[in-house]
């Protein structure tokens, strides 16, 4: 199975886990007969020659990692639907609705969210996102969608929708654009390598891996002052300046995750940490005074590394170790 399909399967399983006992958020009936392995087995190849656009039907609960045109048609009243989109780390998504046929007066809705939101947890967190939370929603029923595309601020976005009348729905086209300085990212794969750079900007960036992983940081640069490395701060990373933190947790929102390690002085050479959580995050806090850069590699932890004798299930607790 190609890696991005593995992510889709893994993510869908996480969504299903999140749905247990919470039928308000997404449509449980749809989720119940949902077979991620079947659904994604017929995916196309990204690098097929030619410019032919990928087209397929969108499901009430769906996950897409390829550009294309997607059509949702309600089979019956479908009231709690969500489609999660993910691009490569260095991509932004642009979302354009070609056709919308819903009845706002009956309580239907169709909203684009700049990021992912699941059970009230957002990625990027409101702390790390450049725009206020309310502005991250574009609501068709409030203002319509202007002809231009809605552009995401990172490699993930989603649409939330509710359609009462069978036969109603919409068609959406997803495209990708390059992003020179990716800030907030969800990794498509459980293994990889990434360099996060914040070039003299007062902002914070989170790189999220929704798997239990081992993370190896090989390089950390936190600014230079006249060619000299900054001095080690005397009292931890708290309060001031620029630093990198490793976070672990079960939800999507980095601001609600457990801080596992802080790194606040530059170094070269590997520092490794195992994070046995559903979600692992490398977060960089940047004052804007320096060019900050962190390079890391990550590998999915094998079940035996999680200290979980039953092997298959997602661990309940979120243990970590250096
Ligand atoms: C970045 O995060 C730090 C600590 O988490 C916070 O104090 C600061 O306000 C944030 N900066 C921005 C630009 O959001």
């Amino acid at each position: 199975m190609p890696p991005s399909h593995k992510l889709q399967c893994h993510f869908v399983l996480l969504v299903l886990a999140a749905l247990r006992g919470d039928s308000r958020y997404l449509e449980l009936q749809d989720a119940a007969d949902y077979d991620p392995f079947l659904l994604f087995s017929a995916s196309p190849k990204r690098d097929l020659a030619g410019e032919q656009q990928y087209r397929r039907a969108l499901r009430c609960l769906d996950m897409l990692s390829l550009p294309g045109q997607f059509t949702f048609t309600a089979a019956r009243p479908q009231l709690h639907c969500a489609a999660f989109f993910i691009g490569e780390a260095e991509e932004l998504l642009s979302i354009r609705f070609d056709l919308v046929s819903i009845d706002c007066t009956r309580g239907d809705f169709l909203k684009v969210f700049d990021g992912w939101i699941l059970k009230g947890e957002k990625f990027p967190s409101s702390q790390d996102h450049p725009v206020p939370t309310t502005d991250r929603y574009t609501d068709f029923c409030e203002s319509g969608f202007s002809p231009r595309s809605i552009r995401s601020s990172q490699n993930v976005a989603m649409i939330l929708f509710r359609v009462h009348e069978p036969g109603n729905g919409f068609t959406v086209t997803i495209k990708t654009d390059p992003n020179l300085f990716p800030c907030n990212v969800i990794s498509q794969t459980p293994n990889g390598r990434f360099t996060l750079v914040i070039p003299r900007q007062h902002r914070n960036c989170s790189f999220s891996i929704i798997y239990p992983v081992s993370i190896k940081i090989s390089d950390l640069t936190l600014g230079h002052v006249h060619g000299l490395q900054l001095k080690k701060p005397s009292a931890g990373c708290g309060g001031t300046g620029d630093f990198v933190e490793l976070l672990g947790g079960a939800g999507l929102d980095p601001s609600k995750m457990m801080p596992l390690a802080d790194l606040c002085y530059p170094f070269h050479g590997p520092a490794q940490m195992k994070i046995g959580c559903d979600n692992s995050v490398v977060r960089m806090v940047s004052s804007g005074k320096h060019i900050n850069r962190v390079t890391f590699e990550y590998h999915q932890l094998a079940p035996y590394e999680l200290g979980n004798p039953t092997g298959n299930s997602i661990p309940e607790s979120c243990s970590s170790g250096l």
Side-chain angles (χ1 to χ4, degrees):
M1 214 181 332
S4 67
H5 300 169
K6 271 199 203 149
L7 171 99
Q8 290 169 331
C9 298
H10 175 82
F11 183 74
V12 166
L13 295 177
L14 285 188
V15 172
L16 294 183
L19 287 175
R20 256 174 244 133
D22 188 2
S23 57
R24 286 162 306 145
Y25 190 72
L26 293 171
E27 192 160 77
L28 260 185
Q29 212 180 326
D30 251 42
D33 56 27
Y34 198 78
D35 182 342
F37 293 92
L38 256 186
L39 179 64
F40 295 115
S41 59
S43 288
K45 277 152 210 75
R46 191 185 194 118
D47 46 13
L48 271 182
E51 292 304 306
Q52 210 178 0
Q53 194 176 36
Y54 171 45
R55 285 195 176 84
R56 80 154 164 84
L58 196 66
R59 300 182 51 132
C60 172
L61 175 59
D62 216 332
M63 165 92 184
L64 295 158
S65 62
L66 291 158
Q69 190 181 56
F70 307 95
T71 299
F72 177 77
T73 309
R76 55 200 149 80
Q78 293 189 286
L79 307 184
H80 304 279
C81 299
F84 296 82
F85 304 122
I86 185 165
E88 302 289 334
E90 298 84 2
E91 289 176 342
L92 301 174
L93 304 170
S94 82
I95 299 168
R96 192 191 70 217
F97 288 89
D98 306 304
L99 188 90
V100 179
S101 167
I102 65 169
D103 187 350
C104 296
T105 61
R106 242 185 111 179
D108 288 1
F109 64 75
L110 176 58
K111 298 175 194 184
V112 176
F113 182 71
D114 186 3
W116 278 0
I117 181 164
L118 185 63
K119 294 196 81 185
E121 296 219 2
K122 297 180 282 290
F123 183 91
S125 72
S126 31
Q127 280 185 16
D128 294 351
H129 202 278
V131 302
T133 302
T134 46
D135 297 348
R136 290 168 71 179
Y137 288 99
T138 310
D139 188 335
F140 173 79
C141 290
E142 261 172 25
S143 50
F145 295 125
S146 50
R148 68 185 170 79
S149 302
I150 300 159
R151 168 78 80 79
S152 71
S153 307
Q154 61 288 311
N155 76 325
V156 291
M158 69 186 290
I159 54 179
L160 300 126
F161 51 101
R162 162 175 295 179
V163 182
H164 285 86
E165 184 68 28
N168 274 357
F170 56 88
T171 296
V172 63
T173 297
I174 311 292
K175 291 199 170 118
T176 57
D177 298 311
N179 182 7
L180 218 54
F181 289 106
C183 175
N184 296 298
V185 173
I186 293 183
S187 174
Q188 277 203 25
T189 54
N191 304 302
R193 182 188 159 84
F194 193 72
T195 298
L196 182 61
V197 183
I198 309 185
R200 288 191 211 282
Q201 284 175 313
H202 179 50
R203 71 184 303 192
N204 302 321
C205 298
S206 291
F207 187 97
S208 162
I209 309 151
I210 48 179
Y211 297 88
V213 286
S214 165
I215 296 182
K216 188 159 85 186
I217 296 179
S218 56
D219 240 312
L220 175 61
T221 311
L222 294 168
H224 285 262
V225 180
H226 304 302
L228 296 168
Q229 295 282 313
L230 288 179
K231 277 191 284 185
K232 283 187 189 183
S234 45
C237 298
T240 55
D242 302 48
F243 61 94
V244 165
E245 57 183 356
L246 298 181
L247 308 168
L252 272 184
D253 192 332
S255 70
K256 295 183 177 151
M257 290 166 67
M258 214 175 2
L260 301 173
D262 276 358
L263 302 162
C264 49
Y265 50 90
F267 69 89
H268 180 80
Q272 188 159 327
M273 185 166 199
K274 285 184 185 174
I275 306 179
C277 306
D278 287 345
N279 191 11
S280 317
V281 164
V282 178
R283 178 168 183 264
M284 180 175 263
V285 172
S286 189
S287 63
K289 292 183 196 130
H290 312 292
I291 298 170
N292 295 329
R293 178 196 311 264
V294 62
T295 299
F296 51 93
E297 278 175 45
Y298 48 100
H299 297 284
Q300 186 170 17
L301 290 176
Y304 72 87
E305 292 176 284
L306 293 168
N308 176 2
T310 56
N312 293 329
S313 62
I314 292 163
E316 295 286 323
S317 70
C318 176
S319 56
S320 64
L322 275 167

